[in-house]
Amino acid sequence: MSRSYYPKSFLWGGAIAANQAEGAYATAGKGLSISDVLTVGEGRIRRVTLDVEDNQVYPSQVAIDFYNNYDNDIRMFAEMGFNCFRLSINWTRIFPTGFEEEPNEEGLKFYDRVFDLMASLNIEPIVTISHFETPLELVRQLGGWDNRDMMPHFLRYCEVLFKRYGHRVKYWMGFNELNNVIKIPYLAGGLFITEGENRNQRMHQAGHNMLVASAHVKRLMDEYCPNAMMGAMLSLSGMYPATSHPEDVLSAYQMRRNSLIYGDVMIRGDYPAYAARLFETLGVTLDIEEGDMELLKNNTVDYLSFSYYLTCAVDHKTEMAADTGGPIGVDNPYLEKTKWGWPIDPIGLRYVCNELYDRYEIPLLISENGFGARDTFVDGKIIDDERIDYLNKHLIQLNEALHDGCDVIGYTWWGPIDIVSAGTGEMEKRYGFIHVDKDNDGHGTLKRTKKKSFDRYKAIIESNGSALFE
Ligand code: BG6
């Protein structure tokens, strides 16, 4: 008979990003971020317009209007029993273009109100400093993170956050899914790469610059809030060889290193031995400035947070497709998929926790895991049994990982309330335990309705995992 191995101190909650939830894109002095000029996909490719065009739907601009509904929404999270909530600060609320010398007080006040409310409800904030919200003006003028001139603007922003919120935020993370700069470079690294440019060079240089920036951020955090903890945040959905063909096994191993390289630098403090050959193969020459390596060595992170949605199967002859949830490989005949083609693999979560804990031996936080699906009302209710099944099975496997000895300190379900999809811009790719009345064209009342999964997650949290075994 299984039992819960979730520790009493376990952080239970959910995660969102400002650009996918807040809306109010031009309110109280906010400037445009890179996500505010992304169109809606729905089977089509999401376009970056680099300016606001007429007759386009830009889903992030209104999103679910969390900006004006945060009080109600966070109270609903408290009702589910959340003791933590991961959110990002919208850089452009604080520095509208990124270039200002002084922060926008109105923007800072918004997060004061959010943190006040969370404190009153005993919800621990977990804060992502940059989650696909780079100021558009910085990108227009500097071209994104392959330009080191981004650094002072980012660090000025971070310093303001530590000074203002350092006394109330214990868990920080710098860049969301830093390793995705080599998969979804526009969102993760503010890189707008055009045809004919040296893609690998730009992406990997941006990766290095972001690693150096992250080390600076850790240094600043230690200075302003010595009791806080800094996490790496990486996209680490799992990876298997498609067959036992040695070429597949080797390809899967090498491909995994393309992501782990970022964990290796942020946690161990240096580029791993395999990095030199990787860059050589890609024709990449990194511009590493004097002092960079020492900074990386002296400012490693305190915990590793990661997103886990799926596993992919690597066939050495087939090119992988990039997606927000992780790379998509060839079909794995043992796994079912979501409507968006993401393989569902609860055991993979146990596998990845063990893989990462074996490698790094620092606390792990699962900062994203979730199930994107279409929901329908029947007699005024949403009976989302598939989402419940995904939740139950992943949490049972996480319990196995805890039993295996992995030090996992928390779990934040991605999108506990329906929000805009980062990858496609759709509202109808829903993750929430709470439904939001809005469609892909931006129509709807924004009314919130609990789904069946709301009570299920509540019961799991209330019992600290025991309900999974009843
Ligand atoms: C992660 C991102 O990559 O995947 C989130 O950190 C994103 O911002 C999530 O929403 C799920 O992807 P999508 O495309 O379904 O929203």
Side-chain angles (χ1 to χ4, degrees):
M1 169 71 183
S2 297
R3 68 166 177 90
S4 168
Y5 285 86
Y6 286 93
K8 279 204 181 73
S9 58
F10 197 73
L11 294 166
W12 290 103
I16 62 167
N19 76 85
Q20 291 166 256
E22 284 177 5
Y25 81 108
T27 302
K30 183 184 167 297
L32 286 176
S33 83
I34 54 170
S35 290
D36 292 326
V37 292
L38 270 176
T39 64
V40 70
E42 203 184 357
R44 288 160 273 150
I45 295 174
R46 253 190 127 178
R47 263 192 333 115
V48 183
T49 59
L50 281 184
D51 216 332
V52 179
E53 293 175 357
D54 293 340
N55 305 320
Q56 288 287 350
V57 178
Y58 293 104
S60 280
Q61 295 189 358
V62 177
I64 61 159
D65 198 19
F66 179 78
Y67 185 84
N68 289 305
N69 289 278
Y70 73 89
D71 191 283
N72 169 74
D73 295 344
I74 292 175
R75 283 181 199 282
M76 288 180 90
F77 300 155
E79 194 186 329
M80 263 188 282
F82 285 19
N83 59 14
C84 75
F85 174 47
R86 173 179 173 234
L87 73 168
S88 67
I89 303 229
N90 211 329
W91 187 348
T92 55
R93 275 197 201 290
I94 315 299
F95 288 99
T97 66
F99 287 103
E100 296 81 0
E101 286 299 324
E102 295 302 323
N104 171 29
E105 183 57 28
E106 285 304 300
L108 288 167
K109 278 189 182 146
F110 171 65
Y111 298 102
D112 282 338
R113 296 196 290 275
V114 171
F115 293 139
D116 279 348
L117 176 68
M118 286 168 69
S120 75
L121 297 167
N122 293 318
I123 297 178
E124 183 92 56
I126 301 177
V127 171
T128 321
I129 295 175
S130 180
H131 191 138
F132 307 163
E133 286 124 7
T134 309
L136 184 63
E137 197 52 33
L138 277 186
V139 170
R140 281 190 188 131
Q141 294 195 32
L142 302 178
W145 269 104
D146 60 338
N147 184 345
R148 265 182 99 110
D149 292 345
M150 293 286 286
M151 198 103 64
H153 306 296
F154 182 61
L155 297 183
R156 192 166 58 248
Y157 162 58
C158 294
E159 201 172 338
V160 165
L161 300 189
F162 293 141
K163 279 193 196 158
R164 181 83 167 217
Y165 308 122
H167 61 294
R168 43 191 13 175
V169 178
K170 179 173 170 199
Y171 297 96
W172 295 89
M173 39 189 97
F175 295 102
N176 180 61
E177 299 184 333
L178 202 161
N179 58 318
N180 267 345
V181 67
I182 58 166
K183 296 179 199 130
I184 42 175
Y186 175 73
L187 281 176
L191 293 177
F192 189 71
I193 304 177
T194 50
E195 197 81 11
E197 284 191 292
N198 189 337
R199 200 176 161 81
N200 278 328
Q201 179 64 35
R202 287 202 66 191
M203 295 190 301
H204 284 276
Q205 186 61 51
H208 175 73
N209 294 347
M210 290 163 81
L211 286 169
V212 173
S214 302
H216 274 297
V217 173
K218 162 73 165 127
R219 180 182 54 74
L220 283 175
M221 185 201 76
D222 285 344
E223 193 182 320
Y224 290 105
C225 18
N227 297 323
M229 288 171 75
M230 179 58 69
M233 167 34 177
L234 303 175
S235 165
L236 290 171
S237 283
M239 202 166 271
Y240 304 140
T243 70
S244 53
H245 189 304
E247 294 275 20
D248 287 347
V249 177
L250 186 66
S251 291
Y253 192 80
Q254 286 181 322
M255 199 157 288
R256 188 64 168 162
R257 285 164 147 184
N258 294 345
S259 286
L260 291 177
I261 189 171
Y262 293 95
D264 291 351
V265 175
M266 295 180 89
I267 298 164
R268 296 165 166 173
D270 201 355
Y271 279 99
Y274 60 83
R277 182 165 182 181
L278 172 70
F279 293 137
E280 185 188 304
T281 311
L282 294 170
V284 167
T285 310
L286 284 191
D287 182 6
I288 299 181
E289 289 192 1
E290 206 186 322
D292 283 2
M293 297 316 295
E294 206 185 331
L295 188 85
L296 293 172
K297 193 180 167 68
N298 294 331
N299 294 283
T300 54
V301 293
D302 303 304
Y303 67 98
L304 169 59
S305 86
F306 63 97
S307 54
Y308 174 90
Y309 289 93
L310 52 89
T311 54
C312 67
V314 181
D315 170 304
H316 68 283
K317 295 187 284 334
T318 311
E319 199 163 330
M320 313 280 289
D323 205 334
T324 41
I328 303 293
V330 296
D331 265 359
N332 182 334
Y334 304 103
L335 301 178
E336 287 182 7
K337 292 183 196 146
T338 71
K339 297 274 177 322
W340 276 262
W342 293 10
I344 302 170
D345 186 0
I347 292 178
L349 178 59
R350 175 181 179 185
Y351 174 85
V352 167
C353 286
N354 277 281
E355 173 201 29
L356 298 175
Y357 198 61
D358 283 354
R359 191 178 183 105
Y360 297 126
E361 292 185 319
I362 61 168
L364 304 177
L365 171 70
I366 293 149
S367 49
E368 290 186 28
N369 173 237
F371 180 75
R374 252 177 244 292
D375 289 324
T376 37
F377 276 95
V378 177
D379 297 333
K381 292 200 172 97
I382 292 175
I383 308 297
D384 53 340
D385 287 327
E386 279 186 313
R387 185 170 293 106
I388 291 175
D389 193 52
Y390 183 101
L391 175 72
N392 286 340
K393 287 182 173 155
H394 281 77
L395 289 178
I396 286 172
Q397 290 305 319
L398 183 52
N399 190 62
E400 293 292 332
L402 287 161
H403 191 181
D404 291 334
C406 301
D407 181 15
V408 183
I409 58 172
Y411 175 87
T412 53
W413 173 268
W414 179 253
I417 183 167
D418 294 345
I419 52 179
V420 174
S421 156
T424 69
E426 290 161 288
M427 259 313 291
E428 287 167 23
K429 185 182 187 188
R430 300 177 182 277
Y431 286 84
F433 304 128
I434 302 165
H435 178 271
V436 178
D437 180 33
K438 187 172 175 186
D439 66 18
N440 288 347
D441 296 323
H443 302 128
T445 60
L446 297 178
K447 182 172 178 252
R448 276 64 167 153
T449 309
K450 293 173 191 169
K451 304 179 194 175
K452 185 179 173 189
S453 54
F454 184 100
D455 288 328
R456 179 60 186 159
Y457 196 35
K458 182 177 177 189
I460 294 169
I461 297 176
E462 212 163 59
S463 66
N464 204 30
S466 296
L468 293 163
F469 307 103
E470 280 159 10

